[in-house]
Amino acid sequence: MRPQLLKVIILGDSGVGKTSLMNQFVNSRFNSQYKATIGADFLTKEVTVDNRLVTMQIWDTAGQERFQSLGVAYYRGADCCVLVYDVNNSKSFENLNNWRDEFLIQASPHDAERFPFVVLGNKIDVDESRRQVTQKRVLAWCQSKGNIPYFETSAKEAVNVQEAFAVVARNALQQEAEEQLYVDYPDPIQIDRESTQSYGCNC
Amino acid sequence: MTSAASRTRPSSPTRLVIPSIHPTPSLSNIKDHRSSTLSVPLLPTPGLESSASSVTNLDLNEGILVHDVDPDVDTTRSEDTAVGQIDDVASEESRRNLRDHLRRTLSVQKEKSDAKRKLDQWLDISPDTTLEGYRPREYFVLTDAGKPVFTSRPDGKDVENSSSIMGVVQALLSVFLEDGDKLRCINTGRLRITFLLRSPLYYVCASSWGEPESVTRSHLEYLHLQILSIVTASQLRRIFERRTNFDLRRLLDGAEPFLFSLLDRIELDLAMATSSLNCLQLDQSLRVRVAEALVPTSKMKDTLYIILVARDIHILVNTVYSPSIVNSPASASWIPVCLPKFNPAGFVNAYITFFRRPDADQKSYQRTAADNETDVAETISASNVTENSQGITSWQTTRLIEDSGIGLVCISGGGEFETVRAWCDTVTQKLSDDGSLEALVKAVDSGKTSYFASQLGIPGLRHFVYKSRPHVQITLPAFEEPYDTLDAKRRIVTLYQIIHDAIHAKSGQTGNLKLQYIRTEKEIVMGWITQPFELYVVLSPRLPKTAVINAANAVTRRAMANMSSMFRISLSKIPLSRSVFLPIQNVHSRTVTTTVSSAFRRPDVPSPRGLFVNACFLLVIPTSLAPGQISTPQDFLKAIGRSSETKISVDSWDAFWRTSGSDMKNAGLSIQDRRYILWCMEKFRQNQPIEVFAHEPRPKKKIRGRGPAVQFGKRIRSRRDQ
């Protein structure tokens, strides 16, 4: 059995650490230098979830507003969406709403209500005094959006990153499994319905 | 390489005259024939316009198969939503700039990284082949979400790398799709990456063989059709409408052998390359006898009608000869197949059985289990059990020897498995009883069905492909020295493909060439297209042009003379067009099934001389036509007029279609009537509407011979016309 492919999209304002999170997860590396992502990057990583091998294809998108119109192409067919904000930046948290809506509009998943999201509050390594978004506030928001799992992470110090992505993979897989594919056996061909068939060679 | 192309005046359609070669300024471009798309000098040759007519009405069916413009690109939706997000001019502009930038960088990156990756990979697969060798082409199939569906790479190898390639491809294609544009191919050095978009699936082929783009594109098209034959187009569409992130591998699980065998086959199969069928060379009387045995009996009559085209047939042949079917210990298989060109929405059922050698124990291997709901794997395993329970342990090993390699395939629309099975049994019985099966097997075994170019005794001729266009069939000799190695075959096939591409103007050349001549260091290849046929010849490189032309003429003459044994042309004196169309109507029943009976030569069993042909005969028998108006032969005779119904009387369609000209003569019909009725029968068989072709006889001529040039005050001929 080949590993299944899960497509994961990371969204969030610019500078909240999306690329760092992805790098930390895939390569276990951190680079403190900031370099804006252009368009989108992606990395793949194989992980084992519940004894199943899956390939995660992680799409790291650019946070800047000017790149947002590129979304559709990347969002299509995503299995899970990771929303990232910076705990030291309340604006980035408030924008999560927009990111989520934008994703739902553009990706238009089949079952928008139950599409798996995961929220990550990044940069918890920074001094507690500069924190602007309380855990309580985030949890309330997550609750209101259908119990989105929430993790506080640090890409720099590798806190909670593996755990968060494990949940990402599990939720994506779960959604896959829940939707028991109902492959209806197709209708037999009505060969005698001449009207639908044109005469002559249709090559 | 010298490439010369010249338009010739067709003095007669079947005879090639040495072209009056005009000084061609571009003849001097000497380069490696695989280095780029072939430059095709099309010379404006005043005074040779007369060939234009024969050029323009080359209405080539194959051209339609490769859809260059796909109108239903799914860009509208994304455009709409995007517009909703961005409405001010400034951001619109920045967006465009960005996309341009992205397009530039992405394409460059992709080319580089892909080329490098491919190169690395190839180098590690075949370290000892030189750079000029033919590395396996790579194929990828992915969904428009970037999820892998299929790769031609061996299973489990380099999964991570493949899935990133898929991601890159998806991103790349998306950027272009956003603009309503479609990426067709990327050329980078010798490598060409061709893309085919068949939403919701994307197909990619990377090849460095130097074949025209249209070739890899058609490979991808075949791949698409093969996938559709497994899941059907409508099912595919429904699934992806519901869930864009669906992993199609779940549905295709177990079907990869079909795709792999398709890719193997497509590499060297010239019948597929020329969109035609390859017919087994057979004695005509044997062909007729076998074909007659395959005419359905009354029980099978309740139905009818199929249009099978070359592509569907290839898909079918491929399915039949996939290792899992051909080597399956089951004596017969019953599988649902979608013939996408016939009806993309549903399955028909294929009953596949291979004849056993007549000398082997003939009875009782015609059993299968399973109804049409069972999938292939289950069918096979189910039959496996039955075999094992019989205690035939050495079955698998003995089968390869006992198996005649000739299979019978029966396609039906309904699920009447028992009827089909019973019919197939009878046919098998009939064939072995009258000895045709034995004769057939003998013919196949003795190598009579294949031949060599050298047997034709044409000096310098090494290989050729002759395609009879009205029959959509090709004939070709087996490959022999110096083309007995795989790489040499690949080179020749690629050269054939280049010429095929050029004379059909598939890569956007401005006009069809009638004649294309390529000289490489190792051989001369020439392609020649006329109304009745296409001919591709390979000759020794030292021959002068005149000898090449003579050889081409000689091959044509030979092919025309041996038409009846090389091509499946007639059955019971009924001239056949692309398939045997025998309309047999059942008055009582309107239900329709379809019978395609074919006996196929098995390509994977190496015949003594490396035979490489596949289809042997193919019989498509519609059993009713135009329901409503024509239900009996008498109706038909009445409809065609000239009071034909009073002249002959037949009671059944079966008898009617077996009526020959001499039967009619014995019945006392005049020659005009016989000609007209037989002609109408042919038209009817071709599904042409009766009201169009039926006509009253022409008024009797009042003037003998050609008559004077001016008749009734009108000039009907002029010397100037000549």
Side-chain angles (χ1 to χ4, degrees), chain B residues 79-358:
Chain B
E79 291 288 280
D80 287 349
T81 47
V83 168
Q85 305 288 322
I86 296 164
D87 36 18
D88 62 330
V89 185
S91 70
E92 181 64 50
E93 191 169 328
S94 73
R95 179 181 153 197
R96 203 171 44 242
N97 289 341
L98 170 77
R99 207 175 282 144
D100 286 346
H101 170 75
L102 206 71
R103 176 184 294 208
R104 273 197 304 277
T105 50
L106 251 182
S107 335
V108 171
Q109 273 172 15
K110 153 90 176 159
E111 279 174 23
K112 277 187 193 151
S113 61
D114 247 20
K116 192 171 170 302
R117 203 176 285 141
K118 299 250 153 55
L119 215 62
D120 292 344
Q121 204 231 347
W122 279 328
L123 286 175
D124 94 65
I125 281 181
S126 47
D128 47 358
T129 46
T130 57
L131 267 169
E132 276 67 42
Y134 291 86
R135 285 191 195 86
R137 297 183 175 110
E138 289 206 54
Y139 298 86
F140 301 95
V141 184
L142 58 149
T143 70
D144 56 6
K147 295 206 168 191
V149 175
F150 169 78
T151 84
S152 60
R153 293 180 176 180
D155 214 23
K157 189 175 180 256
D158 215 4
V159 176
E160 216 160 320
N161 186 9
S162 310
S163 63
S164 12
I165 290 183
M166 307 270 184
V168 174
V169 169
Q170 191 253 338
L172 196 52
L173 289 173
S174 302
V175 171
F176 285 84
L177 273 181
E178 283 266 289
D179 287 357
D181 199 358
K182 285 208 292 186
L183 191 55
R184 290 172 59 96
C185 74
I186 296 175
N187 295 314
T188 156
R190 302 171 55 81
L191 183 72
R192 172 182 283 132
I193 308 168
T194 316
F195 301 91
L196 180 75
L197 278 58
R198 289 281 174 271
S199 190
L201 297 180
Y202 296 157
Y203 296 81
V204 186
C205 171
S207 163
S208 57
W209 292 22
E211 73 288 82
E213 182 208 341
S214 63
V215 172
T216 41
R217 189 166 290 279
S218 78
H219 290 185
L220 297 175
E221 196 80 55
Y222 272 122
L223 213 48
H224 178 59
L225 292 178
Q226 184 75 54
I227 286 181
L228 289 189
S229 85
I230 300 163
V231 295
T232 80
S234 54
Q235 197 180 6
L236 196 65
R237 206 190 51 243
R238 266 205 307 273
I239 290 172
F240 279 91
E241 267 168 12
R242 271 212 313 255
R243 288 193 48 194
T244 47
N245 58 354
F246 184 72
D247 191 348
L248 192 64
R249 284 183 301 184
R250 277 165 67 181
L251 268 188
L252 290 181
D253 207 25
E256 287 90 352
F258 294 142
L259 299 174
F260 280 116
S261 86
L262 175 77
L263 294 179
D264 279 351
R265 166 180 296 270
I266 215 166
E267 183 176 303
L268 288 176
D269 193 329
L270 285 165
M272 281 170 118
T274 53
S275 308
S276 53
L277 296 170
N278 191 352
C279 212
L280 197 62
Q281 196 183 12
L282 270 189
D283 185 41
Q284 194 185 353
S285 61
L286 176 61
R287 195 193 298 280
V288 167
R289 217 162 43 177
V290 175
E292 272 173 353
L294 295 180
V295 171
T297 57
S298 52
K299 245 184 281 167
M300 296 280 293
K301 254 193 229 169
D302 28 327
T303 39
L304 117 82
Y305 202 63
I306 186 169
I307 305 164
L308 266 183
V309 297
R311 290 235 166 171
D312 274 351
I313 285 171
H314 287 308
I315 292 301
L316 194 61
V317 172
N318 180 52
T319 306
V320 172
Y321 284 111
S322 293
S324 58
I325 300 276
V326 83
N327 294 332
S328 94
S331 60
S333 309
W334 173 255
I335 60 172
V337 179
C338 171
L339 301 177
K341 293 277 178 183
F342 167 59
N343 183 338
F347 289 117
V348 292
N349 297 303
Y351 177 93
I352 304 167
T353 174
F354 280 90
F355 294 137
R356 293 168 49 73
R357 278 185 186 285

Side-chain angles (χ1 to χ4, degrees), chain B residues 558-574:
Chain B
R558 270 304 264 270
M560 293 230 167
N562 293 324
M563 203 82 140
S564 60
S565 74
M566 283 177 172
F567 302 116
R568 185 189 38 65
I569 292 169
S570 68
L571 165 70
S572 314
K573 305 213 173 89
I574 300 166

Side-chain angles (χ1 to χ4, degrees), chain A residues 2 7 67 79 110 183 202, chain B residues 98 145 147 235 242 341:
Chain A
R2 265 159 320 180
K7 184 168 173 175
F67 291 112
D79 292 298
H110 171 56
V183 185
N202 57 356
Chain B
L98 170 77
K147 295 206 168 191
Q235 197 180 6
R242 271 212 313 255
K341 293 277 178 183

Side-chain angles (χ1 to χ4, degrees), chain B residues 678-689:
Chain B
L678 289 170
W679 178 80
C680 285
M681 284 160 74
E682 175 60 24
K683 292 279 176 189
F684 187 55
R685 231 174 273 131
Q686 294 169 355
N687 282 327
Q688 299 188 14

